[in-house]
Amino acid sequence: QVQLVESGGGLVQAGGSLRLSCAASGRTFSSYAMGWFRQAPGKERDFVATISWSGGNIQYADSVKGRFTISRDNAKNTVYLEMNSLKPEDTAVYYCAAGRWSRTYSHAYDYWGQGTQVTVSS
């Protein structure tokens, strides 16, 4: 069992930056792939980024490539999402997730956090 708690969301102007964190409980964090997803009001939950357990395999959605960076610190049981050059269309609730495999689809993940709101004003 893995419990995930996101933090770092907030209100930022377009062009600004935020760093999301996702702290995981449990001693098996390092064996899980981690993903970030986001859901805007009235829309489906979309893939943002994923990182394998070792950090050797990283993938991004096309919409965030070059602007967002996913990383993890297995010693701290934490995964991060550094978000730069934010746009109003990045506004959403951001969720972190843990799963056995580093995939771009949500049903590959077994555990989810409660989400953190990111709002980008124009």
Side-chain angles (χ1 to χ4, degrees), residues 10-12 38-41 43 68 86-94 116-122:
L11 174 64
V12 63
R38 65 186 182 185
Q39 188 167 19
K43 295 188 176 181
F68 290 12
L86 283 162
K87 306 174 181 180
E89 51 264 43
D90 294 318
T91 295
V93 177
Y94 283 70
T116 185
Q117 177 70 47
V118 171
T119 303
V120 184
S121 63
S122 57

XYZ file of all heavy atoms in Angstrom, residues 10-12 38-41 43 68 86-94 116-122:
192
model
N -0.850 26.244 -6.534
C -1.192 27.616 -6.183
C -1.575 28.432 -7.394
O -1.798 27.887 -8.481
N -1.624 29.734 -7.178
C -1.964 30.686 -8.238
C -0.693 31.365 -8.726
O 0.103 31.863 -7.917
C -2.939 31.729 -7.694
C -3.303 32.898 -8.621
C -4.037 32.384 -9.855
C -4.149 33.914 -7.862
N -0.505 31.375 -10.030
C 0.698 31.974 -10.612
C 0.316 32.672 -11.911
O -0.647 32.260 -12.590
C 1.782 30.897 -10.847
C 1.321 29.863 -11.859
C 3.102 31.510 -11.249
N -3.225 15.481 -14.895
C -3.963 16.688 -14.535
C -5.369 16.627 -15.104
O -5.630 15.972 -16.111
C -3.239 17.940 -15.039
C -3.149 18.074 -16.551
C -2.283 19.273 -16.918
N -2.182 19.485 -18.361
C -1.413 20.394 -18.933
N -0.642 21.190 -18.189
N -1.381 20.512 -20.257
N -6.260 17.324 -14.421
C -7.660 17.338 -14.842
C -8.208 18.748 -14.708
O -8.257 19.304 -13.602
C -8.493 16.360 -14.012
C -9.909 16.179 -14.521
C -10.589 14.988 -13.881
O -10.177 14.500 -12.831
N -11.644 14.508 -14.518
N -8.596 19.313 -15.832
C -9.227 20.627 -15.852
C -10.729 20.451 -15.697
O -11.273 19.379 -16.004
C -8.903 21.339 -17.160
N -11.440 21.480 -15.250
C -12.897 21.375 -15.063
C -13.598 20.945 -16.346
O -13.360 21.510 -17.419
C -13.298 22.793 -14.664
C -12.084 23.359 -14.039
C -10.934 22.783 -14.799
N -13.176 18.313 -18.031
C -12.353 17.540 -18.965
C -11.884 16.248 -18.318
O -11.964 16.065 -17.107
C -11.157 18.368 -19.424
C -11.547 19.598 -20.230
C -10.335 20.274 -20.815
C -10.730 21.453 -21.692
N -9.540 22.117 -22.294
N 8.139 21.415 -18.559
C 8.010 20.687 -17.305
C 9.140 19.663 -17.180
O 9.592 19.099 -18.178
C 6.675 19.943 -17.248
C 5.458 20.817 -17.116
C 5.516 22.191 -17.288
C 4.230 20.241 -16.811
C 4.386 22.987 -17.172
C 3.085 21.023 -16.687
C 3.167 22.391 -16.874
N 4.614 28.694 -17.459
C 3.226 28.236 -17.317
C 2.282 29.058 -18.166
O 2.471 30.272 -18.360
C 2.816 28.273 -15.852
C 3.369 27.109 -15.015
C 3.308 27.425 -13.529
C 2.601 25.828 -15.324
N 1.260 28.372 -18.655
C 0.245 28.977 -19.504
C -1.126 28.817 -18.851
O -1.323 27.881 -18.059
C 0.230 28.289 -20.870
C 1.567 28.248 -21.584
C 1.473 27.419 -22.853
C 2.822 27.337 -23.570
N 2.725 26.521 -24.801
N -2.078 29.673 -19.197
C -3.426 29.517 -18.627
C -4.014 28.125 -18.880
O -4.740 27.602 -18.027
C -4.231 30.597 -19.343
C -3.223 31.664 -19.625
C -1.961 30.927 -19.958
N -3.673 27.513 -19.996
C -4.202 26.180 -20.293
C -3.580 25.084 -19.435
O -4.010 23.928 -19.493
C -4.023 25.841 -21.781
C -2.621 26.046 -22.322
C -2.461 27.393 -23.009
O -2.953 28.410 -22.471
O -1.812 27.415 -24.096
N -2.592 25.422 -18.625
C -2.042 24.467 -17.660
C -2.886 24.409 -16.383
O -2.626 23.568 -15.517
C -0.606 24.840 -17.287
C 0.357 24.710 -18.444
O 0.262 23.714 -19.193
O 1.217 25.604 -18.599
N -3.857 25.284 -16.275
C -4.726 25.305 -15.096
C -5.475 23.987 -14.967
O -6.146 23.543 -15.898
C -5.725 26.464 -15.185
O -4.999 27.706 -15.138
C -6.718 26.417 -14.029
N -5.343 23.342 -13.805
C -5.960 22.040 -13.572
C -5.640 21.598 -12.146
O -4.814 22.205 -11.463
C -5.429 21.006 -14.562
N -6.295 20.525 -11.746
C -5.875 19.806 -10.546
C -4.832 18.784 -10.984
O -5.073 18.015 -11.922
C -7.059 19.112 -9.854
C -6.566 18.311 -8.647
C -8.100 20.136 -9.417
N -3.696 18.807 -10.311
C -2.596 17.909 -10.651
C -2.540 16.772 -9.651
O -2.550 16.996 -8.435
C -1.282 18.680 -10.671
C -1.109 19.514 -11.913
C -1.881 20.647 -12.120
C -0.198 19.147 -12.902
C -1.752 21.411 -13.275
C -0.058 19.902 -14.056
C -0.839 21.028 -14.230
O -0.704 21.775 -15.387
N -3.614 18.550 -6.254
C -3.304 19.913 -5.841
C -3.657 20.856 -6.989
O -3.361 20.566 -8.150
C -1.823 20.060 -5.432
O -1.593 21.372 -4.917
C -0.870 19.799 -6.587
N -4.308 21.960 -6.658
C -4.805 22.887 -7.671
C -3.692 23.798 -8.165
O -2.967 24.413 -7.375
C -5.939 23.740 -7.110
C -6.474 24.797 -8.066
C -7.252 24.201 -9.220
O -8.104 23.340 -9.030
N -6.972 24.667 -10.434
N -3.582 23.897 -9.480
C -2.686 24.861 -10.123
C -3.543 25.782 -10.979
O -4.291 25.308 -11.835
C -1.633 24.152 -10.990
C -0.849 25.174 -11.819
C -0.691 23.332 -10.118
N -3.428 27.073 -10.727
C -4.180 28.060 -11.487
C -3.216 29.069 -12.090
O -2.417 29.667 -11.359
C -5.203 28.783 -10.609
O -6.081 27.828 -10.014
C -6.030 29.770 -11.440
N -3.279 29.217 -13.403
C -2.401 30.136 -14.116
C -3.251 31.258 -14.689
O -4.133 31.016 -15.515
C -1.626 29.432 -15.227
C -0.635 30.403 -15.886
C -0.898 28.205 -14.684
N -2.988 32.462 -14.229
C -3.767 33.610 -14.698
C -3.089 34.261 -15.901
O -1.865 34.260 -16.023
C -3.921 34.632 -13.583
O -2.660 35.139 -13.197
N -3.916 34.817 -16.772
C -3.374 35.450 -17.988
C -3.047 36.912 -17.765
O -3.380 37.489 -16.753
C -4.380 35.312 -19.130
O -5.621 35.876 -18.757
